[in-house]
């Protein structure tokens, strides 16, 4: 075992020095001799180099999709068809819930639909009857109008005969009684015309009545059809609820949880959000790796940046190299971190949801930076960093610096030093401003 002091002094040498110091005389003379003795140090220079900015953060594996399945209807679980670890396909039946009340409601609605269908048939028959009556009344109207044409012709002939007879009577060619006969015939035709006109008016009124009856019958039919449609929609709605009694997988994956047993009473009442789901199905043939990136690095991260993932479970295997798939684009106010996601193919099921690992993300392109070995930088209890800078006369200056990227070997110096400046390398002793030291050859 060695103890570092200047240029690596062995433990035995250090013990010897302590023994010798113990044998030296004490007092003012000894103190003056210690002050005159210079501490031997080695130095390192600030170098300027291109570095790849990276951030290393914890990572966790999540299912690509995770679905919590709850009951939509109330009833008793009559059958389980899936268990933990089963691989299921989308739409596959997981469980069956017994809902006898809904089955009875379905039978009642089906009976009502049958009755409404009969009402439809009766209303349709009424429409057909009304239509026949309309056609009959229209036929009688047409017959009356046809009779009117005949009567008009007869009246015209009678009027013509009356005019001719009247002219002959005035000339004395015919007796007056011939004119009376002609007049009676004309008046008879006029009366016949009036009778036919009345018949036409009656036929028209009858047509209007039958057409109104037909319209009423048609309205009754439409009302019956509407009632049937309402009942059919109610049946469809009930059927949808009954279908919910068959619990199905919403996606292809693996059953990662089962929180129900045969005979359990499940239902849609209560706080479903806080209740345990019947099943949890997770898609794991592809997984998401989520990484919380601190605020200081989040602004420099973009989709496509290279990521190196390591998992303690696979310590002996090479790391996984991937690219950032997406980022949330906002910081979590409670942690001041931004979630970054990486999608990984997982056909063999090697990565399990819940696994933890570490992710090293390359942030953009390489940048120029001032670097110092991490051993040459000191940190106070408050976390502030400082170095011991050497001037031309080997005089120490304590300089506060701002650090940046740290890869475990070198640390970026953001401010406080310039390229080429010399600082004291790793040393067990603390130094003060103005203190002179002896620089060993590097």
């Amino acid at each position: 075992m060695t103890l570092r002091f200047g240029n690596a002094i062995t433990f035995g040498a250090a013990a010897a020095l302590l023994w010798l110091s113990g044998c030296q005389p004490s007092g003012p003379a000894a103190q003056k001799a210690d002050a005159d003795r210079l501490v031997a140090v080695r130095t390192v220079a600030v170098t300027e180099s291109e570095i790849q900015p990276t951030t290393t953060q914890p990572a966790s594996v999540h299912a690509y999709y995770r679905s919590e399945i709850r009951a939509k209807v109330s009833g008793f679980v009559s059958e389980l068809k899936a268990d933990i670890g089963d691989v299921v396909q989308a739409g596959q039946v997981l469980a069956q819930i017994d809902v006898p009340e809904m089955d009875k409601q379905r039978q009642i609605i089906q009976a009502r639909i049958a009755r409404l269908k009969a009402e439809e048939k009766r209303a349709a028959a009424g429409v057909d009857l009304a239509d026949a009556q309309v056609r009959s009344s229209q036929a009688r109207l047409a017959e009356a109008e046809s009779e009117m044409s005949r009567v008009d012709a007869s009246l015209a002939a009678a009027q013509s005969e009356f005019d001719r007879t009247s002219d002959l009577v005035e000339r004395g060619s015919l007796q007056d009684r011939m004119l009376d006969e002609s007049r009676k015939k004309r008046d008879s035709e006029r009366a016949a015309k009036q009778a036919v006109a009345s018949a036409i008016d009656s036929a028209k009124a009858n047509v209007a009545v039958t057409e109104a009856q037909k319209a009423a019958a048609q309205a009754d039919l439409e009302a019956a059809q509407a009632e049937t449609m309402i009942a059919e929609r109610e049946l469809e709605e009930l059927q949808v609820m009954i279908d919910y009694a068959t619990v199905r997988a919403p996606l292809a994956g693996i059953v990662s949880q089962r929180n129900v047993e045969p005979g359990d009473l499940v239902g849609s009442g209560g706080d479903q959000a806080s209740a345990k789901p019947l099943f949890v199905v997770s898609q794991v043939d592809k997984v998401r790796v989520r990484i919380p990136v601190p605020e200081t690095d989040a602004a420099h991260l973009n989709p496509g940046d290279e990521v190196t993932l390591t998992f303690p479970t696979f310590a002996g295997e090479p790391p996984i190299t991937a690219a950032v798939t997406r980022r949330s684009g906002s910081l979590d106010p409670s942690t001041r971190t931004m979630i970054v996601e990486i999608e990984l193919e997982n056909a063999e099921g090697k990565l399990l949801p819940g696994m933890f690992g570490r992710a090293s993300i390359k942030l953009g392109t390489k940048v120029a930076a001032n670097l110092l070995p991490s051993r040459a930088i000191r940190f106070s209890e408050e976390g502030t960093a400082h170095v011991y800078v050497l001037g031309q006369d080997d005089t120490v200056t304590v300089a506060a610096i701002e650090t940046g990227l740290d890869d475990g070997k070198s640390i970026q110096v953001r401010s406080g030093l310039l390229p080429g400046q010399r600082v004291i390398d790793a040393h067990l002793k603390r130094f003060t401003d103005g203190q002179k030291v002896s620089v060993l050859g590097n």
Side-chain angles (χ1 to χ4, degrees):
M1 178 178 179
T2 59
L3 177 67
R4 295 190 61 84
F5 185 84
N7 188 27
I9 303 176
T10 65
F11 180 78
L17 288 174
L18 290 174
W19 180 81
L20 288 173
S21 64
C23 295
Q24 297 297 323
S26 59
Q31 293 176 359
K32 184 176 183 302
D34 288 341
D36 292 339
R37 188 182 301 117
L38 298 179
V39 178
V41 299
R42 291 187 182 275
T43 62
V44 292
V46 179
T47 60
E48 186 176 20
S49 177
E50 280 193 344
I51 63 171
Q52 174 65 63
T54 60
T55 180
T56 302
Q57 305 299 334
S60 58
V61 179
H62 299 262
Y64 193 75
Y65 288 121
R66 179 179 182 275
S67 179
E68 295 185 352
I69 304 167
R70 291 179 166 83
K72 178 72 173 177
V73 296
S74 299
F76 292 94
V77 177
S78 60
E79 188 176 4
L80 287 179
K81 295 192 175 182
D83 213 327
I84 294 176
D86 289 351
V87 176
V88 296
Q89 301 301 317
Q92 183 173 331
V93 177
L94 305 180
Q96 186 66 46
I97 300 173
D98 191 15
V99 285
E101 301 92 340
M102 290 186 179
D103 290 334
K104 290 299 181 183
Q105 291 176 12
R106 177 170 57 185
Q107 294 174 10
I108 292 172
I109 295 176
Q110 288 173 338
R112 189 165 83 244
I113 290 174
R115 178 178 60 79
L116 292 173
K117 289 286 187 181
E119 292 289 338
E120 277 189 43
K121 290 181 179 180
R122 185 173 66 178
V127 170
D128 293 340
L129 176 60
D131 185 62
Q133 291 174 342
V134 168
R135 291 197 301 272
S136 176
S137 61
Q138 288 174 342
R140 288 196 294 271
L141 175 60
E143 182 182 0
E145 289 173 343
S146 176
E147 182 66 17
M148 176 61 76
S149 298
R150 186 190 65 76
V151 171
D152 282 339
S154 297
L155 178 60
Q159 182 65 43
S160 177
E161 182 180 353
F162 173 78
D163 292 340
R164 187 174 61 255
T165 303
S166 177
D167 182 60
L168 291 174
V169 169
E170 288 178 359
R171 293 179 183 181
S173 300
L174 291 175
Q175 298 178 356
D176 289 341
R177 84 181 158 76
M178 297 297 296
L179 182 60
D180 292 337
E181 291 177 0
S182 179
R183 183 182 292 109
K184 290 179 181 179
K185 185 176 181 181
R186 183 197 63 182
D187 293 343
S188 176
E189 293 298 335
R190 284 180 175 175
K193 181 177 180 180
Q194 291 177 355
V196 172
S198 297
I200 290 175
D201 291 340
S202 177
K204 288 180 177 180
N206 193 33
V207 169
V209 169
T210 55
E211 286 179 344
Q213 291 173 343
K214 179 181 178 180
Q218 186 66 42
D220 290 341
L221 175 59
E222 292 174 358
Q225 290 172 337
E227 288 291 334
T228 303
M229 184 178 296
I230 292 172
E232 288 174 342
R233 298 296 88 80
E234 289 177 352
L235 180 61
E236 291 174 2
E237 180 183 13
L238 181 61
Q239 187 60 52
V240 169
M241 297 303 294
I242 292 175
D243 289 343
Y244 281 129
T246 302
V247 181
R248 299 180 182 273
L251 52 86
I254 187 170
V255 179
S256 54
Q257 288 186 35
R258 176 181 64 80
N259 301 310
V260 66
E261 302 289 344
D264 283 355
L265 176 61
V266 298
S268 57
D271 186 1
Q272 287 292 299
S274 62
K276 286 186 177 180
L278 305 184
F279 298 90
V280 174
V281 176
S282 302
Q283 181 183 346
V284 293
D285 58 344
K286 181 188 289 187
V287 295
R288 303 173 190 264
V289 178
R290 289 180 181 154
I291 307 163
V293 178
E295 181 177 0
T296 53
D297 298 325
H300 307 290
L301 191 147
N302 295 292
D305 287 348
E306 184 178 333
V307 183
T308 301
L309 296 167
T310 57
F311 296 92
T313 307
F314 313 118
E317 300 182 14
I320 300 172
T321 302
V324 173
T325 304
R326 64 182 63 85
R327 62 178 199 161
S328 65
S330 63
L331 298 177
D332 184 340
S334 61
T335 61
R336 309 305 304 172
T337 59
M338 180 181 72
I339 294 298
V340 171
E341 278 194 352
I342 300 165
E343 291 183 6
L344 294 177
E345 296 295 333
N346 190 39
E348 297 179 356
K350 180 179 178 179
L351 297 173
L352 303 177
M355 277 185 172
F356 283 91
R358 295 190 67 80
S360 179
I361 308 175
K362 292 183 179 180
L363 304 175
T365 58
K366 293 183 177 181
V367 296
N370 296 328
L371 300 177
L372 272 177
S374 56
R375 65 179 183 274
I377 300 176
R378 277 76 170 175
F379 291 90
S380 68
E381 294 180 356
E382 292 77 18
T384 58
H386 65 276
V387 294
Y388 300 123
V389 182
L390 287 184
Q392 294 295 331
D393 56 353
D394 294 339
T395 301
V396 175
T397 300
V398 181
I401 62 172
E402 180 186 354
T403 60
L405 299 174
D406 183 354
D407 63 2
K409 296 181 180 179
S410 300
I411 297 179
Q412 179 188 9
V413 180
R414 294 185 184 272
S415 63
L417 291 175
L418 296 175
Q421 281 189 286
R422 294 183 306 153
V423 302
I424 296 177
D425 203 354
H427 204 289
L428 293 179
K429 187 175 180 61
R430 294 185 179 181
F431 301 90
T432 59
D433 282 329
Q435 181 178 350
K436 283 192 174 286
V437 295
S438 173
V439 179
L440 299 175
N442 292 324

